[in-house]
Amino acid sequence: MWKDKKMIKTKPIRYFAAAMRKYKKGFYIFYAVLIAAMMIQPFINMFGPKMMIDAIMGKAVIISIIKIAAVMILADFVIKLITAFINEELDKEYYAGLDRHLEAAVGKKSMELKFETTENKETLDALADARTGIDSGYSGGSKGLFNSLAILIVNIVVLMLSVFVVCRYSFIPLALVLVNVSLNVFFESRLNAIKIEQIQQLAVTDRAYHYLLHGLSDIRYGKDIRLFNAKDMMLGRVDEFNDKQSEINKTQAKKAQKYLSGSKINQAVTASLTYLLLAMMVAEKKIGIGDFTMLVAAVTTIVTAINLVLKQILELKKFCSYSDKFIKYVEGNVYEEKGDKKTDISDGIKIEFKNVYFKYPGSTEYALKNINATIKSGERWSVVGLNGAGKSTFIKLICRLYECTEGEILLNGVNIMDYEYSSYMKTISAVFQDFCLLNFSIKENIICDRPERIEDDVLMPLIEEVGLKEKVDSLPQGLMTPVFRYYDQSGFEPSGGEQQKIAMARALYKDAPVLILDEPTAAFDPIAEREIYEQFNTMVKDKTAIFISHRLASCRFCDKLLVFKDGEIVERGTHQSLLKLQDGLYAKMYKTQEKMYK
Ligand code: ADP
């Protein structure tokens, strides 16, 4: 504990204190009253009995003794009441409330990360660490922090006042206390090291363990788990983790045992020596019985206060090292806006790929090589090729989810990275292969905004166009029906086709000049896919559209076809011109796939 140059990184404390001030007004009034009440409590126990004994020994009238006892009991009761009330209020309202804000901050940050970093292990680890940083089980959360801080402040003050009380009689008890505390520091630092080691060892299996538990209780996995009888395998793995974790806990508990025993013996020896010393002072008539009781209480208070101060310093240190990771996550890794240009599409659009090469971060292979293509306003483009050919990567680059490794992509002559991100995003709309709908109403899923801002009539023609009108009309809450039933029983479970129609409506509603359909139909049969693609082609009207598919017939209607193979464009032309290339990849693939449409 004393090894680090800086005992505690105070930044997390300042961060949480500022966050509390920002989100939860009135906290510090409750907190100050709580600290004051906690400070008074030990002195009631210290001075109350002395006053009683002095009164009895001084042969005071019974009524005075009763008065002292009544005041003591009442003060003790009131303080306990205030402490309990404030703690309850802080728990319910303030700590839980702040934790929700902090969790939301992690969520917000995760949505703002640079997309390419979301696929790295480092980001996943940083996210897990950030969650741990505010998890009450590990770091103690905001409650852990403010409780520790309150105990620390209270005990520093109580310690100083108690030392003052004892010193007025003798310095010897303080020497005993010092020996006790030095030994205790040793025991506590050993115990703490064992605890940290234990947490580190448990953390190795923890993520996998939680994944399993989550998987078992996630009803979406239910089909596969039932069908392949994976339950026993998963439960078996849970048991393995449980065994591993209890093994770690047992080993660490064994290591801690001798230090725990040492600490108990230390307390007992100090207490006995203190009693002995003070009893001798009474025998020598240096102090009275009342003073004896008060000094015993004061020495006990000093020992407790020192130990609590040390313990809270360790607690705060633990808290800070965990929550520092939370702060790093929410403050770091910000998406750096490089461009500041606004897009100007008043004269149409022209997207140009110029000698584009791309490697995924951490990958040694090029996923795209020497890509050159020009896409103009109103054109219909089709990107085809076998799985893994590079089609989706081509789209991800247009969507600025990744940056080219070499070469450039231009929009109206300007590198797309030079545009302000939000301005560029307004020009692109897409339905991805793995599109996802949110647990919000159908309307919110389409407009991605608060539903009251848009009239239903504005949306209904689009709903009709994508073929969802009948469904929406049949639902009791119409457009406001929640999609899925995760947290609303009145929700509806859309079929794959309905989900995809909602996603298409969302893409069209955005009203961007470029629309992309990246195989959201992969789960459908080839004929259904072709119909959907043709329907979408009509719906996009005079906009530019890019269609991706590994099924060639789906995109026959496109003016321009790009055939991808191993990250390169190997053929380009119209459907008819490509069919004429006898040994061409497109012609071969088309012949192989033709029978799927018969
Ligand atoms: P397609 O859309 O034609 O099926 P992709 O563009 O998805 O092909 O993939 C092209 C190549 O890039 C494949 O070799 C694939 O394994 C690789 N790839 C795709 N996504 C990633 C990723 N996130 N990280 C590393 N490699 C990837």
Side-chain angles (χ1 to χ4, degrees):
M1 139 180 195
W2 312 109
K3 278 181 205 152
D4 301 359
K5 276 201 190 106
K6 196 168 181 193
M7 216 162 52
I8 301 176
K9 291 181 192 161
T10 51
K11 185 174 176 190
I13 299 179
R14 285 181 277 126
Y15 184 96
F16 273 63
M20 188 62 101
R21 215 174 15 250
K22 180 171 165 198
Y23 295 121
K24 293 273 148 199
K25 305 269 178 264
F27 170 77
Y28 286 102
I29 299 171
F30 278 116
Y31 197 55
V33 177
L34 179 71
I35 288 179
M38 284 165 72
M39 269 178 199
I40 296 169
Q41 182 87 53
F43 294 103
I44 298 177
N45 300 337
M46 208 183 292
F47 293 113
K50 172 183 159 51
M51 286 161 77
M52 289 273 292
I53 292 169
D54 284 351
I56 295 165
M57 302 296 279
K59 305 213 174 11
V61 283
I62 190 78
I63 193 76
S64 313
I65 298 172
I66 292 173
K67 265 191 206 159
I68 296 172
V71 169
M72 248 182 73
I73 292 167
L74 194 69
D76 192 58
F77 174 73
V78 170
I79 285 190
K80 282 200 174 111
L81 206 66
I82 293 175
T83 324
F85 167 76
I86 295 182
N87 272 329
E88 171 84 12
E89 191 61 18
L90 293 182
D91 255 10
K92 258 193 342 226
E93 179 56 31
Y94 292 87
Y95 299 139
L98 181 61
D99 286 348
R100 281 197 296 273
H101 277 288
L102 300 175
E103 275 163 29
V106 172
K108 179 171 176 285
K109 183 73 205 185
S110 304
M111 291 293 111
E112 289 169 353
L113 290 177
K114 197 169 176 181
F115 183 80
E116 64 178 58
T117 65
T118 60
E119 294 179 344
N120 315 337
K121 185 179 173 300
E122 287 80 34
T123 309
L124 296 179
D125 286 344
L127 173 61
D129 284 346
R131 289 211 178 108
T132 308
I134 47 170
D135 179 338
S136 50
Y138 282 92
S139 69
S142 61
K143 179 177 175 178
L145 164 74
F146 287 104
N147 271 347
S148 277
L149 211 55
I151 300 173
L152 182 66
I153 297 169
V154 165
N155 282 285
I156 289 174
V157 176
V158 167
L159 176 63
M160 290 192 309
L161 294 175
S162 309
V163 167
F164 176 73
V165 169
V166 175
C167 286
R168 288 182 58 217
Y169 292 84
S170 165
F171 286 97
I172 304 175
L174 291 183
L176 283 176
V177 166
L178 276 182
V179 176
N180 170 286
V181 168
S182 315
L183 285 170
N184 224 27
V185 167
F186 168 73
F187 293 133
E188 281 297 325
S189 65
R190 296 307 308 141
L191 286 169
N192 202 48
I194 291 170
K195 182 94 195 149
I196 288 173
E197 192 181 70
Q198 183 178 3
I199 289 173
Q200 280 165 351
Q201 288 178 0
L202 289 174
V204 177
T205 51
D206 231 28
R207 183 128 60 96
Y209 181 65
H210 281 111
Y211 167 76
L212 273 170
L213 288 183
H214 183 253
L216 275 169
S217 55
D218 190 333
I219 48 172
R220 283 173 300 176
Y221 297 175
K223 279 201 295 287
D224 297 278
I225 292 178
R226 278 178 183 75
L227 205 62
F228 298 104
N229 201 15
K231 186 186 74 186
D232 291 343
M233 177 187 78
M234 290 173 83
L235 286 174
R237 195 63 66 81
V238 167
D239 286 343
E240 271 173 40
F241 281 128
N242 273 334
D243 291 347
K244 218 177 261 174
Q245 294 196 332
S246 44
E247 189 58 41
I248 294 171
N249 288 337
K250 261 191 231 154
T251 316
Q252 296 306 103
K254 219 169 172 180
K255 278 192 198 169
Q257 196 52 52
K258 59 179 179 228
Y259 300 111
L260 282 170
S261 310
S263 172
K264 293 267 177 294
I265 294 169
N266 182 31
Q267 301 304 344
V269 170
T270 309
S272 314
L273 288 177
T274 309
Y275 276 111
L276 192 65
L277 176 81
L278 294 174
M280 278 163 60
M281 286 169 78
V282 175
E284 289 166 11
K285 298 216 173 350
K286 285 186 184 157
I287 54 171
I289 304 280
D291 299 326
F292 173 85
T293 334
M294 183 192 69
L295 287 171
V296 167
V299 171
T300 315
T301 306
I302 292 174
V303 172
T304 314
I306 295 181
N307 287 326
L308 281 173
V309 166
L310 296 177
K311 189 162 176 230
Q312 296 321 312
I313 290 174
L314 288 176
E315 281 294 312
L316 286 173
K317 197 177 165 198
K318 185 182 92 181
F319 169 85
C320 290
S321 73
Y322 275 120
S323 36
D324 199 40
K325 291 179 180 156
F326 158 80
I327 297 171
K328 279 204 179 100
Y329 185 76
V330 293
E331 285 192 343
N333 201 359
V334 195
Y335 176 78
E336 284 164 34
E337 179 74 80
K338 288 187 191 155
D340 55 2
K341 293 201 169 87
K342 299 265 189 236
T343 51
D344 176 9
I345 50 164
S346 49
D347 293 332
I349 59 146
K350 185 162 101 173
I351 300 173
E352 292 169 89
F353 276 69
K354 284 194 162 172
N355 308 322
V356 169
Y357 286 79
F358 176 73
K359 269 185 207 165
Y360 279 97
S363 170
T364 49
E365 301 282 316
Y366 280 103
L368 289 180
K369 286 172 270 190
N370 197 25
I371 304 294
N372 286 286
T374 306
I375 303 168
K376 295 198 199 113
S377 282
E379 289 179 344
R380 297 285 187 272
W381 280 74
S382 162
V383 178
V384 296
L386 296 171
N387 281 332
K391 305 180 296 291
S392 289
T393 309
F394 177 78
I395 296 305
K396 286 183 199 168
L397 292 190
I398 297 183
C399 294
R400 264 178 71 166
L401 295 175
Y402 293 91
E403 204 171 333
C404 310
T405 315
E406 288 164 44
E408 56 181 354
I409 304 171
L410 310 174
L411 169 69
N412 293 348
V414 175
N415 190 318
I416 58 171
M417 301 312 286
D418 293 337
Y419 286 113
E420 189 187 77
Y421 186 74
S422 56
S423 172
Y424 180 72
M425 276 305 141
K426 284 192 188 126
T427 59
I428 312 277
S429 186
V431 188
F432 290 110
Q433 239 173 67
D434 51 354
F435 69 83
C436 76
L437 299 181
L438 309 166
N439 293 233
F440 288 92
S441 67
I442 301 174
K443 190 169 173 181
E444 285 162 312
N445 265 289
I446 296 172
I447 64 175
C448 292
D449 194 354
R450 296 221 304 274
E452 64 278 9
R453 300 201 188 171
I454 305 290
E455 294 295 327
D456 284 4
D457 310 358
V458 176
L459 218 53
M460 271 334 263
L462 184 58
I463 295 288
E464 200 164 351
E465 216 173 344
V466 294
L468 266 178
K469 184 166 184 316
E470 229 172 276
K471 183 75 208 177
V472 169
D473 287 344
S474 75
L475 295 167
Q477 296 177 69
L479 277 174
M480 285 313 292
T481 311
V483 178
F484 308 122
R485 291 200 189 109
Y486 294 135
Y487 57 69
D488 194 334
Q489 263 313 308
S490 66
F492 91 112
E493 284 296 331
S495 67
E498 285 160 352
Q499 290 190 38
Q500 185 232 338
K501 284 174 183 167
I502 298 174
M504 273 167 45
R506 173 167 67 191
L508 288 165
Y509 180 80
K510 188 174 171 188
D511 203 21
V514 180
L515 274 145
I516 297 165
L517 208 60
D518 182 6
E519 287 193 295
T521 43
F524 291 86
D525 66 68
I527 295 169
E529 176 176 288
R530 190 168 70 188
E531 280 169 13
I532 291 163
Y533 271 49
E534 282 168 3
Q535 188 195 3
F536 196 72
N537 183 38
T538 325
M539 290 189 285
V540 296
K541 300 188 180 103
D542 56 350
K543 296 189 165 85
T544 310
I546 306 173
F547 296 86
I548 315 291
S549 185
H550 63 279
R551 292 161 176 162
L552 310 188
S554 300
C555 310
R556 279 177 58 165
F557 55 82
C558 290
D559 340 316
K560 317 235 170 179
L561 286 135
L562 293 178
V563 185
F564 274 68
K565 188 181 176 220
D566 300 333
E568 287 180 89
I569 298 175
V570 288
E571 289 165 23
R572 63 177 82 209
T574 60
H575 173 69
Q576 290 307 333
S577 71
L578 289 177
L579 273 189
K580 283 186 194 138
L581 301 173
Q582 281 305 314
D583 289 329
L585 176 62
Y586 185 85
K588 265 196 221 153
M589 280 173 72
Y590 193 78
K591 273 185 201 122
T592 318
Q593 291 182 5
E594 215 171 8
K595 50 183 173 299
M596 297 194 296
Y597 298 91
K598 286 180 179 157

